[in-house]
Amino acid sequence: MTSSASGPPSGRPSPPLMPTPNIPQKSPIVKEMAPGTYWWCTCGHSKGQPFCDGSHKGTGFAPRKAEITETKTVAWCACKHTKNGAFCDGSHKSC
Ligand code: FES
């Protein structure tokens, strides 16, 4: 039996493939935000970045809730690879 680069050897099932987000921009979207609840786009297909516009339907993604408790400047992730909720963590430098 030979192994291939496309899956694990010995007949074990492959792990499920994770959907890959679209990358609308490789830098954060910086906005002055009022307090409120916002729905951050995780799929990268929204026309109203960084927020969800419903374009994720059928992609396997869902928007992520972000609570802003006071007026402040927010750096929203636009590469969709952040590990910091909806907020930029610098991941755009390596995706
Ligand atoms: S449009 Fe991207 S998560 Fe809704």
Side-chain angles (χ1 to χ4, degrees):
M1 179 179 215
T2 61
S3 64
S4 73
S6 63
S10 69
R12 275 183 258 143
S14 298
L17 293 174
M18 295 296 292
T20 303
N22 185 44
I23 299 175
Q25 183 176 308
K26 285 194 173 183
S27 59
I29 296 171
V30 179
K31 287 180 172 283
E32 179 82 5
M33 301 303 300
T37 300
Y38 297 90
W39 292 93
W40 178 67
C41 168
T42 62
C43 73
H45 292 284
S46 172
K47 302 285 185 281
Q49 291 296 330
F51 307 114
C52 176
D53 70 355
S55 297
H56 60 270
K57 288 186 179 71
T59 66
F61 287 90
R64 184 173 300 156
K65 189 176 184 180
E67 300 279 2
I68 304 295
T69 57
E70 61 189 47
T71 299
K72 63 180 176 180
T73 301
V74 175
W76 298 96
C77 170
C79 75
K80 310 304 177 185
H81 285 75
T82 183
K83 307 266 187 303
N84 183 26
F87 310 113
C88 178
D89 68 354
S91 293
H92 58 271
K93 294 174 187 155
S94 58
C95 66

